[in-house]
Amino acid sequence: IGKKDKPQVRSSSMDETNPITARSPKKYSSLEKVEACLGRARAAIREAKHGNQTHDPDYIPTGPIYWNASAFHRSYMEMEKSFKVYVYEEGEPPVFHYGPCMHTYAIEGFFIQKMEVSYFRTRDPGKAHVYFLPFSVTMITQVIYVPESHEWGLMKNTAKDYVDVIATKYPYWNRSLGADHFMLACHDWGPEISFAIPYLYKNSIRALCNANTSERFNPSRDVSIPEIHLPTGTTEGMLGGLSPSQRSVLVFFAGGLHGPIRPILLEHWENKDEEIQVHRYLPKGVSYYTMMRKSKYCICPSGYEVASPRMVEGLYMGCVPVLIKDNYVTPFSDVLNWKTFSVIIPVKDIPNLKKILMGIPQKQYIKMQRRGMQVRRHFEVNSPPKRFDVFHMILHSIWLRRLNIRVHDFQ
């Protein structure tokens, strides 16, 4: 650079004394700080997609069960480093801050309970990335709903009134039109109750077991969570099964005829083939879990709704899930490649079930079974939660959706 091209530099003393040139550091709002944090996380995850591995003494995700193991790992660690959730304190149990921790909808109560005491929780709403609406749809159906009334109004009004209280008391719902808020429901009626609040189902993150795209589930914004049946409230006695070489049953299913798919399954396969153990009711003296533990494949069809605990039970017990569902978004499918550890069969191919499963080479079956055992950690229920388990995977899915949101776009 020539002498005449050199930039003119003013002394700091001139800037500080001249009222025109003096500038104070910009003060950023809490929202700007939150968005800047998310921007840095996005950049780190994009970099990791190209194989930038991060050291982790506990667990390094690898293998084909992940769409991109490096990106998932970096995203997970960014979540651990910075993700903050504000839990609204309004509302009285049992409808709020409480939920079932046993049986089919256990994940609802489990998540609410663990979120209340999680280190991801912040007491400062100004520092939160997302805001949790801690109402339990299952408890609404048990406490508010009048059995056999077929009346939805009271249940929907309960959810709507709660959000109205939040929107009136705090600035955060109106600031984003609900986009950085989330609800969680495993009960089948979760989506329907959310429809009572237009911004809740249009903008908010809905973590749902009933992840059915034909019922307005939006995979880019909503989160599919697994339905996990916990008869005793824990997974004790549910994990593990026979090795692949000792599994004597090709495929197993037992369940009622509700929904459109199961009658087709039973029509074609009930009591038709010794290798295809398909039952409406289990034979007397036969254990459901014992059958899963000695079967190579376990059929997981939709019932009235798409969610079913059989999928996770199969993974728990080393039985490769066979998914027969329409319009279903599998849990954590933004991270997990379900085709590597499960079999997905269209309803129209139910008559070809045996031909399809027999056509899978033994070597390929063993790979799928081992991958299922590997992916199981992401579906396990732990108390207290452990890294990469189902509680953290649900949070991670919510974290990913929040990374896609820029609150300023709603203002």
Side-chain angles (χ1 to χ4, degrees):
I1 301 177
K3 187 174 181 180
K4 65 179 180 179
D5 297 319
K6 287 185 179 179
Q8 298 297 309
V9 180
R10 302 187 181 198
S11 70
S12 59
S13 59
M14 286 177 62
D15 286 341
E16 290 168 357
T17 56
N18 189 328
I20 297 176
T21 57
R23 292 180 180 176
S24 59
K26 180 180 178 181
K27 291 184 179 179
Y28 292 96
S29 68
S30 58
L31 177 58
E32 287 173 323
K33 291 177 182 177
V34 164
E35 293 293 349
C37 169
L38 293 171
R40 290 190 293 271
R42 290 186 200 102
I45 295 164
R46 281 196 297 270
E47 183 182 351
K49 284 182 179 179
H50 305 294
N52 178 31
Q53 191 56 270
T54 308
H55 176 70
D56 191 333
D58 182 42
Y59 179 68
I60 303 290
T62 57
I65 67 170
Y66 302 104
W67 292 111
N68 188 314
S70 296
F72 164 54
H73 192 209
R74 186 55 185 265
S75 175
Y76 186 92
M77 294 191 75
E78 290 293 325
M79 175 189 78
E80 286 186 316
K81 182 172 70 176
S82 59
F83 197 32
K84 295 299 178 188
V85 180
Y86 183 76
V87 181
Y88 288 111
E89 297 183 354
E90 287 67 26
E92 296 295 326
V95 170
F96 305 93
H97 305 283
Y98 180 78
C101 293
M102 294 174 64
H103 304 302
T104 303
Y105 305 125
I107 202 70
E108 246 185 61
F110 172 78
F111 184 88
I112 292 171
Q113 181 189 88
K114 299 309 175 187
M115 193 67 254
E116 297 268 354
V117 297
S118 173
Y119 71 87
F120 288 99
R121 182 179 183 179
T122 177
R123 301 284 177 174
D124 182 351
K127 294 181 179 178
H129 298 93
V130 293
Y131 301 82
F132 180 38
L133 304 165
F135 61 87
S136 167
V137 170
T138 301
M139 297 312 297
I140 288 176
T141 66
Q142 292 180 12
V143 176
I144 308 295
Y145 180 64
V146 178
E148 307 302 327
S149 69
H150 307 289
E151 173 54 54
W152 290 80
L154 290 175
M155 295 188 294
K156 289 186 173 183
N157 286 342
T158 298
K160 183 178 183 302
D161 290 347
Y162 180 70
V163 173
D164 286 345
V165 168
I166 296 302
T168 301
K169 186 173 179 178
Y170 299 89
Y172 308 104
W173 176 271
N174 295 323
R175 180 182 72 180
S176 69
L177 301 182
D180 53 358
H181 287 59
F182 76 95
M183 62 168 282
L184 181 138
C186 202
H187 195 280
D188 297 344
W189 294 354
E192 185 65 32
I193 288 177
S194 76
F195 298 154
I197 308 119
Y199 286 141
L200 183 61
Y201 81 84
K202 287 181 180 178
N203 294 339
S204 298
I205 301 164
R206 299 178 304 158
L208 304 171
C209 286
N210 190 13
N212 188 339
T213 56
S214 71
E215 297 179 7
R216 290 184 271 180
F217 181 91
N218 183 347
S220 65
R221 187 189 63 246
D222 297 325
V223 169
S224 175
I225 62 175
E227 188 170 286
I228 303 177
H229 180 66
L230 298 177
T232 64
T234 73
T235 58
E236 186 176 356
M238 295 181 67
L239 304 180
L242 298 176
S243 67
S245 62
Q246 295 178 303
R247 293 179 179 259
S248 56
V249 177
L250 175 64
V251 62
F252 167 68
F253 169 79
L257 281 181
H258 55 276
I261 295 176
R262 297 182 186 190
I264 300 171
L265 177 66
L266 269 75
E267 177 189 348
H268 282 90
W269 294 109
E270 186 178 26
N271 301 321
K272 300 288 175 65
D273 191 311
E274 278 295 314
E275 293 183 290
I276 310 291
Q277 291 290 318
V278 171
H279 306 280
R280 189 174 321 194
Y281 303 105
L282 272 177
K284 194 172 181 179
V286 175
S287 162
Y288 179 82
Y289 286 163
T290 297
M291 287 297 295
M292 293 196 95
R293 288 191 172 98
K294 69 178 185 179
S295 298
K296 291 182 175 181
Y297 300 95
C298 291
I299 302 177
C300 310
S302 294
Y304 287 126
E305 303 295 349
V306 292
S308 165
R310 288 175 173 80
M311 199 168 60
V312 173
E313 289 169 343
L315 295 175
Y316 279 0
M317 299 175 201
C319 187
V320 175
V322 179
L323 310 186
I324 308 179
K325 301 169 183 284
D326 286 331
N327 309 308
Y328 181 53
V329 178
T330 47
F332 318 138
S333 53
D334 38 15
V335 168
L336 302 176
N337 181 359
W338 277 80
K339 290 183 178 180
T340 64
F341 56 88
S342 70
V343 180
I344 301 173
I345 295 179
V347 175
K348 65 180 178 62
D349 283 340
I350 287 176
N352 301 318
L353 177 67
K354 184 174 183 179
K355 181 180 178 182
I356 291 169
L357 297 181
M358 292 292 288
I360 298 173
Q362 177 71 2
K363 193 173 181 181
Q364 179 63 20
Y365 156 70
I366 291 173
K367 283 183 180 179
M368 284 194 293
Q369 200 269 350
R370 287 177 178 168
R371 290 167 185 164
M373 300 300 287
Q374 179 189 356
V375 83
R376 189 179 79 186
R377 71 178 296 145
H378 299 315
F379 294 86
E380 290 181 10
V381 177
N382 297 302
S383 188
K386 297 179 182 178
R387 297 182 73 213
F388 296 99
D389 69 1
V390 71
F391 174 78
H392 289 93
M393 290 298 288
I394 292 172
L395 267 185
H396 181 258
S397 289
I398 294 166
W399 159 251
L400 286 181
R401 301 311 183 278
R402 180 61 181 90
L403 287 172
N404 291 332
I405 296 167
R406 288 171 174 81
V407 170
H408 288 299
D409 293 343
F410 294 86
Q411 296 178 334

